[in-house]
């Protein structure tokens, strides 16, 4: 950190230097793995230019690396976490990219499909901010024939008592007897699976095929760099998203 930089929250700093997302940083702090100047940090703590930051005893420095943006087709069984100490089948070890990157959002272990990977903490925060209503499209296969009532109920909102929320209205379209397409603008934990369970359906297969302007065009387990035009369009789509407050 440069000497003229004002103190900032530690989670924001770790995000901005491309170490991990703010959410991942919060988890590291909560687990007691982060120290500043030899002292275990607390949530909300700020760091100054002269502070020494360590995670698992390893000093953390800004790398000033070029921003990296990847599209990845996550297989079933891979976990979207940067915590390689806990999860063996984690997305970081699977991709094995030569520099530090982290996922934008999540896709649960039992699901497959498109996920973004980056070292740009700022774009992560902008994309994940719920009020931006960025679209994510899924193809879902369930265990019994899809009725018109199912389509109507799914599209108008489902109460998820365990989360204390009702899902937003969304686009739902029947594709075949057992498959439907759904386009979400929110990302609640296991949202589609919970919605289906509420209507007494069980998800057999869930695949994310689009995030914002990027469509899934990769074999399972493969990744590619986003193109310059794709990145420019994403930045345009999040341009109204103010940076999070310190």
């Amino acid at each position: 950190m440069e000497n003229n930089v004002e103190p900032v929250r530690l989670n924001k700093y770790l995000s901005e230097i491309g170490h991990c997302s703010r959410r991942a940083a919060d988890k590291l702090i909560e687990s007691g793995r982060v120290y500043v100047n030899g002292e275990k940090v607390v949530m909300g703590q700020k760091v100054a230019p002269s502070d020494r930051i360590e995670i698992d005893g390893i000093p953390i420095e800004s790398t000033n690396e070029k921003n990296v943006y990847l599209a990845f087709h996550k297989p079933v069984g891979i976990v979207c976490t940067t915590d390689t100490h806990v999860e063996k089948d984690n997305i970081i070890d699977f991709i094995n990219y030569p520099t530090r990157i982290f996922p934008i959002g999540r896709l649960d272990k039992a699901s497959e499909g498109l996920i973004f990977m980056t070292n740009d903490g700022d774009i992560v925060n902008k994309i994940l901010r719920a009020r931006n209503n960025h679209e994510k499209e899924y193809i879902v296969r369930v265990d019994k024939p899809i009725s018109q009532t199912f389509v109507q109920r799914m599209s108008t909102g489902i109460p998820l008592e365990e989360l204390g929320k009702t899902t937003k209205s969304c686009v739902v379209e029947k594709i075949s007897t057992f498959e439907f397409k759904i386009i979400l603008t929110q990302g609640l934990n296991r949202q589609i699976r919970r919605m289906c369970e509420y209507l007494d359906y069980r998800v057999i297969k869930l695949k994310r095929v689009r995030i914002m302007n990027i469509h899934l065009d990769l074999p399972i387990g493969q990744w590619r760099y986003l193109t310059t035009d794709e990145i420019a369009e994403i930045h345009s789509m999040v341009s109204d998203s103010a940076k999070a407050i310190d």
Side-chain angles (χ1 to χ4, degrees):
M1 301 175 69
E2 301 297 335
N3 291 333
N4 61 348
V5 175
E6 294 295 324
V8 297
R9 288 185 185 273
L10 179 57
N11 62 353
K12 180 182 180 185
Y13 174 69
L14 292 175
S15 172
E16 289 183 340
I17 67 172
H19 183 81
C20 61
S21 69
R22 292 194 194 192
R23 291 181 183 179
D26 287 340
K27 289 182 179 180
L28 289 171
I29 294 168
E30 289 173 352
S31 64
R33 294 165 56 186
V34 187
Y35 284 72
V36 173
N37 301 326
E39 300 287 336
K40 187 182 296 185
V41 303
V42 297
M43 293 299 294
Q45 184 167 333
K46 292 188 176 183
V47 290
S50 58
D51 288 330
R52 186 181 75 257
I53 303 168
E54 295 179 334
I55 298 178
D56 296 329
I58 301 173
I60 301 299
E61 300 290 344
S62 175
T63 59
N64 293 317
E65 292 175 339
K66 180 181 178 181
N67 286 337
V68 173
Y69 305 95
L70 308 181
F72 172 57
H73 187 163
K74 185 191 88 67
V76 170
I78 298 300
V79 182
C80 294
T81 180
T82 57
D83 194 345
T84 57
H85 294 80
V86 176
E87 295 284 357
K88 181 179 70 171
D89 297 321
N90 65 81
I91 197 168
I92 302 301
D93 286 344
F94 185 92
I95 295 178
N96 196 28
Y97 194 76
T99 59
R100 184 181 296 276
I101 56 174
F102 44 87
I104 301 180
R106 300 180 65 84
L107 192 58
D108 67 51
K109 186 175 183 178
S111 302
E112 71 166 275
L114 180 63
I115 190 163
F116 294 157
M117 304 291 295
T118 187
N119 61 356
D120 182 355
D122 185 48
I123 201 72
V124 172
N125 298 319
K126 289 179 178 179
I127 289 176
L128 294 183
R129 200 153 300 136
R131 65 173 177 268
N132 290 328
N133 297 321
H134 301 309
E135 290 186 349
K136 290 167 288 184
E137 182 177 337
Y138 303 80
I139 302 298
V140 186
R141 185 173 182 85
V142 289
D143 63 337
K144 57 186 179 181
I146 296 165
S147 66
Q148 186 56 41
T149 299
F150 173 86
V151 172
Q152 191 272 334
R153 291 293 305 279
M154 288 284 285
S155 63
T156 55
I158 297 292
L160 303 180
E161 294 183 0
E162 60 269 48
L163 301 181
K165 296 178 181 292
T166 296
T167 61
K168 295 180 180 179
S169 296
C170 59
V171 175
V172 179
E173 177 184 329
K174 181 177 177 179
I175 297 175
S176 65
T177 303
F178 295 96
E179 285 190 327
F180 68 94
K181 175 179 74 175
I182 183 169
I183 301 174
L184 301 180
T185 56
Q186 62 184 148
L188 302 177
N189 182 33
R190 298 182 68 251
Q191 179 173 342
I192 297 172
R193 295 179 187 276
R194 293 179 190 272
M195 292 170 73
C196 290
E197 288 166 5
Y198 180 86
L199 298 175
D200 199 27
Y201 282 71
R202 184 169 63 88
V203 171
I204 302 300
K205 182 178 181 180
L206 192 155
K207 182 177 183 179
R208 184 156 65 197
V209 296
R210 179 172 64 88
I211 302 173
M212 301 168 70
N213 59 312
I214 310 299
H215 292 262
L216 183 63
D217 58 0
L218 294 157
I220 295 176
Q222 298 299 306
W223 62 266
R224 68 170 176 85
Y225 291 106
L226 296 183
T227 68
T228 301
D229 288 344
E230 287 172 337
I231 296 168
E233 187 171 353
I234 290 172
H235 278 284
S236 176
M237 295 171 80
V238 301
S239 61
D240 291 334
S241 177
K243 290 187 177 181
I245 299 173
D246 289 347

